Amino acid sequence: IKQFLLLSKRRTALITQCLKDSETSKPNFMPRLYINRRLAMEHRDNPALDPSCKNAVFTQVLSLLEGSQLRCLVLCRWPLRYDQWWECKFIAEGIIDQGGGFRDSLADMSEELCPSSADTPVPLPFFVRTSNQGNGTGEARDMYVPNPSCKDFPKYEWIGQIMGAALRGKEFLVLALPGFVWKQLTGEEVSWSKDFPAVDSVLVKLLEVMEVMDKDTFEFKFGNELTYTTVLSDQRMVELIPNGSSTVVCYEDRKEFIRLVQKARLEESKEQIMAMQAGLLKVVPQAVLDLLTWQELEKKVCGDPEVTVDALKKLTRFEDFEPLDTRVQYFWEALNNFTNEDRSRFLRFVTGRSRLPARIYIYPDKMGSETTDALPESSTCSSTLFLPNYATAKVCEEKLRYAAYNCVAIDTDMSPWE
């Protein structure tokens, strides 16, 4: 049925109507959460020191909502205009949260669930790096899959609820998951040959070669060393049949071995994905998932990963600048020289979001037209950048990049001890 629904010309209107019809009224109050991001940063640097992950922003948010009996709030199917689900008070950071702190908390949670850097440890146990990311091979080398070893299904369900709230609203939960996962969330059929190369391309290729090789080649390559086992994405070896680790695969049985490996790997995260889908369906009607492709679901939950200069130009407004002001020219030269990752970091520095769409408002900084080497300042609550007047485009590029990567704390709204 889904393939026919996706062909409907009224699909977009039906999605909008389904979301509208399933709305609930907004809550009477907004929960205020006190988050310690300094402790979260320490945990992110060395997760092994705290296996409970209690200091992660993700855990702090969840425990505070549960502790104040406010977790039910994320189950609500709020109107689109209600775009802030909780208020953040970052301990030892000065902030009056009018949306920027809230967006920052979502960005922190995203980064903890699926870190954007391959060089950092994964601070939470819910997702693991794909084999492609570990091997540096194949497509989609920056992706994660649900951890087959993690059986904390209520947490996966809560992740699904936040995904659903992002779909209904204007905010994003950026999860770097392959189509293999998104397809299962929307109920689309997954294929070993089409979808699993994004998870473990080496294994897909190995099984393809094994299926067509002759007996002499098979025995030369594997001898008596190939047993009925396979390694999952969490690096755990599992037996494919009873006593599989001590049962040698014969050439004549290689196709059955291949089938068993494919089944085990395709279903390795099945329970975790089902829990995420259950959470998603508490916030989004089944009809909406039936009407969305997996690519559309990903974009609605995560935003657009491509932060292009052309897209930024459409979303950026300069206020109180002269038409030929060099600051405007230097700004665009800098962003043209940025990588996509640089622009994503810059976007988060200004708006609290790491993906588009997000509007940006740019004003001259307090020094006015006077040339300075000061770092730029931003207000994520109003998505505003205060741009200094730099001597050259190169200086502008260096200062913007430094701020994007290093100026995370919010300390200009108020005294951090208030």
Side-chain angles (χ1 to χ4, degrees), residues 224-230 237 240 244-249 257:
N224 293 324
E225 296 180 3
L226 183 64
T227 59
Y228 281 90
T229 59
T230 192
M237 188 184 74
L240 302 172
S245 58
S246 56
T247 305
V248 175
V249 179
F257 169 76

Side-chain angles (χ1 to χ4, degrees), residues 211-396:
E211 186 170 9
V212 297
M213 68 175 49
D214 59 46
K215 187 173 184 178
D216 289 342
T217 305
F218 180 89
E219 292 178 350
F220 174 77
K221 284 186 173 294
F222 301 110
N224 293 324
E225 296 180 3
L226 183 64
T227 59
Y228 281 90
T229 59
T230 192
V231 177
L232 306 183
S233 291
D234 58 3
Q235 304 307 306
R236 187 165 45 96
M237 188 184 74
V238 295
E239 293 186 322
L240 302 172
I241 60 173
N243 301 315
S245 58
S246 56
T247 305
V248 175
V249 179
C250 300
Y251 175 75
E252 291 75 17
D253 299 327
R254 73 192 187 288
K255 290 188 178 180
E256 176 62 9
F257 169 76
I258 291 169
R259 186 190 69 80
L260 291 170
V261 170
Q262 291 175 346
K263 184 177 187 297
R265 294 303 306 274
L266 284 171
E267 296 179 357
E268 65 178 8
S269 303
K270 183 178 179 180
E271 293 177 305
Q272 291 78 9
I273 294 172
M274 285 177 64
M276 290 168 65
Q277 187 186 53
L280 190 58
L281 288 171
K282 286 186 175 179
V283 185
V284 178
Q286 177 69 59
V288 172
L289 290 189
D290 290 339
L291 289 162
L292 288 171
T293 66
W294 71 264
Q295 295 96 330
E296 290 167 336
L297 175 63
E298 180 186 19
K299 196 166 184 178
K300 284 181 177 291
V301 172
C302 303
D304 192 339
E306 291 299 317
V307 184
T308 65
V309 173
D310 286 342
L312 285 170
K313 284 183 176 180
K314 293 175 183 176
L315 294 163
T316 301
R317 283 181 57 180
F318 289 88
E319 305 285 354
D320 301 334
F321 287 93
E322 295 296 326
L324 299 179
D325 196 307
T326 55
R327 281 171 288 189
V328 178
Q329 175 190 336
Y330 292 166
F331 173 80
W332 290 123
E333 284 186 33
L335 263 65
N336 266 310
N337 290 333
F338 278 10
T339 64
N340 192 72
E341 174 65 16
D342 292 341
R343 287 190 288 269
S344 178
R345 296 274 188 152
F346 166 77
L347 192 66
R348 182 180 173 187
F349 168 66
V350 179
T351 70
R353 298 183 178 100
S354 58
R355 293 196 178 190
L356 296 173
R359 288 204 166 275
I360 297 174
Y361 301 91
I362 303 180
Y363 289 84
D365 81 336
K366 58 189 176 185
M367 299 295 290
S369 59
E370 185 178 335
T371 303
T372 178
D373 284 333
L375 288 169
E377 294 181 3
S378 68
S379 169
T380 55
C381 291
S382 57
S383 300
T384 301
L385 174 72
F386 298 97
L387 184 64
N389 186 21
Y390 296 117
T392 66
K394 185 66 176 175
V395 173
C396 181

Side-chain angles (χ1 to χ4, degrees), residues 25-26 50-51 98 109 125 210 244 248 277 329 334 340 358 375 402 413:
S25 57
K26 67 178 185 179
D50 177 26
Q98 296 176 322
M109 289 164 62
M210 182 187 296
V248 175
Q277 187 186 53
Q329 175 190 336
N340 192 72
L375 288 169
Y402 183 88
D413 287 347

Side-chain angles (χ1 to χ4, degrees), residues 40-160:
M41 191 68 73
E42 291 173 9
H43 171 71
R44 195 182 296 181
D45 289 340
N46 193 354
L49 294 178
D50 177 26
S52 71
C53 308
K54 66 179 184 296
N55 289 331
V57 172
F58 176 92
T59 313
Q60 290 186 60
V61 168
L62 179 56
S63 61
L64 287 167
L65 289 174
E66 287 182 322
S68 55
Q69 297 182 325
L70 293 169
R71 188 179 179 186
C72 59
L73 286 173
V74 297
L75 302 180
C76 295
R77 301 176 174 191
W78 295 320
L80 179 62
R81 63 185 177 276
Y82 188 77
D83 56 2
Q84 184 174 350
W85 315 326
W86 56 76
E87 177 188 353
C88 278
K89 291 288 185 181
F90 293 133
I91 296 171
E93 299 181 56
I95 175 175
I96 301 171
D97 186 10
Q98 296 176 322
F102 163 67
R103 290 194 294 272
D104 256 0
S105 70
L106 283 179
D108 285 332
M109 289 164 62
S110 299
E111 188 64 25
E112 290 173 345
L113 289 165
C114 298
S116 55
S117 171
D119 300 323
T120 59
V122 183
L124 291 171
F126 309 113
F127 298 94
V128 292
R129 291 185 167 99
T130 61
S131 299
N132 284 358
Q133 187 171 170
N135 298 332
T137 57
E139 57 184 288
R141 298 183 190 181
D142 58 346
M143 294 293 177
Y144 295 77
V145 289
N147 184 354
S149 296
C150 184
K151 304 299 182 181
D152 194 345
F153 300 122
K155 295 279 196 343
Y156 282 107
E157 191 170 311
W158 195 69
I159 292 169

